Amino acid sequence: MVSLIPKKLLLKMYTTMLRIRSFETKVAELFAEGKIPGLYHLSIGQEAIPAGACLALEKGDYLVSHHRGHGHMIGVGLQMSKMFAELFGRETGYNRGRGGSMHLADFDRNILGANGIVGAGIAIANGSGLSAKLRKTKQITICFFGDGASQEGSFHEGLNLAAIWKLPVIFLCENNQYAFSYPSRLGCPVGVATRAMAYGIPGMKVDGNDPVAVYGVVKKAANRARKGEGPTLIEAITYRWRGHWEGDPDQHEEIYRPRQEINEWLKKDPILRFREKLLRLGILTETIDKRIKKNIETEVEKSVKWAESSPYPDPKEMDKDVFATMRVILE
Amino acid sequence: MKEITYRDAIREAIQEEMERDETVFIMGEDVGVYGNIFGITKGFIEKFGKERVRDTPLSETAILGCAVGAAMTGLRPIAEIMYVDFTGVCFDQIINQAAKMRFMSGGKIKVPLVIRTNGMGAGFQAAAQHSQCLEALFMHIPGIKVVLPSTPYDAKGLLKTSIRDDDPVIYLEHKLLYFTKGLIPEEEYTIPLGIADIKRIGDDITVIATQAMIHKVLKVAETFAKKGIEIEVIDPRTLYPLDVRTILDSVKKTGKVLIVTEECKFGGSGAEIAAIIAEKAFNHLKAPIGRIGAPNIPVPFSPPLEEFYIPSERKIEETIQNILKHSN
Ligand SMILES: Cc1ncc(C[n+]2csc(CCOP(=O)(O)OP(=O)(O)O)c2C)c(N)n1
Ligand SMILES: [Mg+2]
């Protein structure tokens, strides 16, 4: 598989993974220091999925994300600076400080948004899928969600609708083993991908810590969707390294995740694994690696600085943002 | 008396009722092994076992539907929906099922169910889908009782009553209050639903408030007291049934009234209270009824926006000042 992918793309995958990790490591730091407010769900350890999946998309494709969505945003090329600005609650952020981490979106790029309600995006993705189908564009929609979301009614209703209407949607479940404290082995013992059978659509299970494997299945699902053959369900197996949200005590003391399990998964670090592979294949050298990391470090630093020095939004301006057709009274 | 947090008062109520009555059980997301996101049910599995302390999948409709069915067949479920915003996912089970079963059966069945939600209210920069105050939605539905405590004392007494009540109750917990402290009796007590609490006695103006706003109003009342102005502060504690009598008695005494709620003012619970006062005590009013609530916008994330959004002590103070300007 690796040999079929251009070198440049492999390096981009690697860089994307590193950018996601650096961004989120910084988020954790800023949050711990009390510099950014809000709720933070980090995807450290899961970077291979957005890196592989987003690079398999075409320009103009739609993306629907969920609460753990920073990686998807970076994967499709949102700017770190405007993402940080949003987390700092500034006017220059992607949502002009209205949304924060759980609602990041970029409608100029057809990124329809993260979401604070688990499972909600699955139903919405059908809408952009139907829209593209009726407008006869070749756009597809990729919808990211967690194993927990596959326990919601919206998953089952959404997949059924997508299947019977043959909507051009890829449902990509990031099975990181837990929905908050609830293990996916209890919540969906048959496995998420297996459920595709019930709707008569292809279900594929993939190593979610291997960006190339993810790229491969998403490419396949995208081709199918673009040809009008309908949706695909992908289950990417991975692990969340951090607590459910920043501040989850399970990060530091064992509450629901056995420490040995965490340690086993830390050994499967998707970034280190990919780095070694690229070094072995001669695609990456230590010098290039250093340069990439240095660039990202600078990017993060500059972005945070810019975000932090950006102005806060004016509360008096909120009256314009509720409706498209009228202002509300801000009394 | 002993000092306790709002969080622990809720915990004690559930624990005592589970010890008292074997038909009481609790289910919801992260209530078992994790012990609830605020630690309310920590240690409950060890005490009561996994059958009665049930971790559920992420399936709000299944949780509530299951609770309705169990309540109809002899159990007393406490169903937890993490944040009140998520009741949107399972609204049918609340408004069409739980609330209507008894009436539709010709009064033949009862649904002794408590729906608890952890996450009412703003102030955590949790943004539009994790910060709402939705009490007005529920009080509009006939067949469901609406409880919203503001202190540890009220939280415990009202929850015990809610669990023993033979009707569906939605019990709304405010996330900003969990770690506030207050005194409660060592011995067992309950508080009937539908009885308001006068949190402070005064003759000059009546201020009716709920949950987090009660605490702001009490602070403001302190500062007015120093100027010799005595504010009567009323916490309805339950919106349905609503203690109309306590409210009207106070308004008749003071002739002036302000209603302060954190929810969006438009179409809110404060609107119903204001309408009842206008209807039933119009001749006693010496000034127009004042009303403070959030503007009609989704809760914003950014701190300065959220601060602007949540009713402030300053606004409460100014509004009271303006109402007091009307001569007696
Ligand atoms: C409808 C709804 N229920 C519950 C929650 C609270 N909550 C947020 S994320 C989460 C777990 C989600 O698990 P999963 O879908 O596996 O995604 P992950 O967090 O593991 O990435 C829960 C319970 C919510 N936001 N929305
Ligand atoms: Mg998960």
Side-chain angles (χ1 to χ4, degrees), chain A residues 37-40 86-90 96-100 102-103 115-118 148-149 151-152 179-182 187 245 248-249 255-256 312-316 318 322 328-331, chain B residues 29-31 33-34 37 42 55-61 82-83 85-86 89 124-130 265 291 293-306 308-309 315:
Chain A
L39 291 177
Y40 291 95
E86 187 57 31
L87 309 190
F88 274 101
R90 308 302 162 116
R96 300 175 54 225
R98 272 60 165 172
M102 272 190 293
H103 305 290
N115 206 310
I117 304 297
V118 172
Q151 299 154 12
E152 290 280 5
F180 212 138
S181 71
Y182 198 62
W245 52 25
D248 177 356
I255 295 174
Y256 58 87
Y312 277 114
D314 177 1
K316 302 252 158 53
M318 283 194 290
V322 184
V328 297
I329 298 165
L330 281 187
E331 202 211 316
Chain B
E29 292 158 18
D30 309 290
V31 302
V33 172
Y34 200 65
I37 58 170
K42 225 180 174 93
D55 268 323
T56 65
L58 248 135
S59 313
E60 287 78 11
T61 294
M82 197 179 285
Y83 283 62
D85 314 70
F86 312 158
V89 177
F124 263 85
Q125 293 89 43
Q129 295 173 338
H130 284 72
K265 181 175 154 185
R291 204 149 56 89
N296 210 22
I297 56 174
V299 185
F301 161 70
S302 180
L305 302 186
E306 195 188 34
F308 175 90
Y309 176 91
K315 183 154 189 193

Side-chain angles (χ1 to χ4, degrees), chain A residues 41 46 66-68 116-118 145-150 152 174 176 178-180 240 244, chain B residues 29-30 58 60 82 86 89 130:
Chain A
H41 306 85
Q46 305 178 205
H66 65 152
H67 57 283
R68 206 175 298 285
I117 304 297
V118 172
F145 55 95
D147 46 289
S150 78
E152 290 280 5
E174 298 192 27
N176 60 6
Y178 290 88
F180 212 138
R240 145 163 80 68
H244 168 70
Chain B
E29 292 158 18
D30 309 290
L58 248 135
E60 287 78 11
M82 197 179 285
F86 312 158
V89 177
H130 284 72

Side-chain angles (χ1 to χ4, degrees), chain B residues 95-299:
Chain B
I95 71 164
N96 292 320
Q97 311 306 328
K100 294 181 172 56
M101 278 301 164
R102 176 169 175 83
F103 185 79
M104 293 188 305
S105 76
K108 288 187 182 155
I109 199 149
K110 56 181 190 183
V111 187
L113 154 71
V114 177
I115 303 166
R116 283 183 41 247
T117 82
N118 294 154
M120 284 270 284
F124 263 85
Q125 293 89 43
Q129 295 173 338
H130 284 72
S131 304
Q132 298 172 86
C133 285
L134 296 178
E135 57 268 41
L137 292 185
F138 304 114
M139 68 182 272
H140 188 66
I141 304 300
I144 184 143
K145 297 178 180 172
V146 183
V147 179
L148 64 175
S150 66
T151 64
Y153 178 84
D154 293 347
K156 184 173 179 188
L158 290 168
L159 183 50
K160 284 175 73 90
T161 310
S162 301
I163 295 168
R164 294 180 197 185
D165 199 279
D166 277 342
D167 291 314
V169 174
I170 185 153
Y171 182 92
L172 306 164
E173 300 165 15
H174 196 291
K175 56 168 101 60
L176 224 54
L177 298 177
Y178 280 117
F179 299 100
T180 57
K181 288 182 178 160
L183 293 175
I184 67 165
E186 301 276 356
E187 60 278 9
E188 149 140 83
Y189 70 99
T190 58
I191 301 171
L193 307 186
I195 306 292
D197 187 40
I198 302 175
K199 298 279 184 214
R200 189 184 174 106
I201 295 174
D203 288 329
D204 297 314
I205 181 171
T206 301
V207 180
I208 301 155
T210 49
Q211 295 215 302
M213 290 301 125
I214 272 288
H215 301 281
K216 291 194 175 183
V217 168
L218 285 173
K219 262 198 216 149
V220 171
E222 239 8 272
T223 61
F224 274 99
K226 289 190 192 120
K227 295 184 261 178
I229 295 162
E230 289 302 338
I231 298 175
E232 182 140 298
V233 182
I234 295 181
D235 181 353
R237 301 193 291 196
T238 63
L239 290 172
Y240 204 92
L242 181 66
D243 185 355
V244 173
R245 200 170 147 181
T246 299
I247 292 171
L248 292 181
D249 284 350
S250 177
V251 172
K252 284 174 188 169
K253 178 174 75 171
T254 63
K256 291 172 183 173
V257 59
L258 170 67
I259 301 157
V260 188
T261 55
E262 184 186 325
E263 60 184 346
C264 294
K265 181 175 154 185
F266 193 90
S269 65
E272 180 62 31
I273 295 171
I276 291 173
I277 295 169
E279 228 172 30
K280 306 258 158 88
F282 184 75
N283 290 333
H284 297 271
L285 288 174
K286 297 171 190 154
I289 300 168
R291 204 149 56 89
I292 295 176
N296 210 22
I297 56 174
V299 185

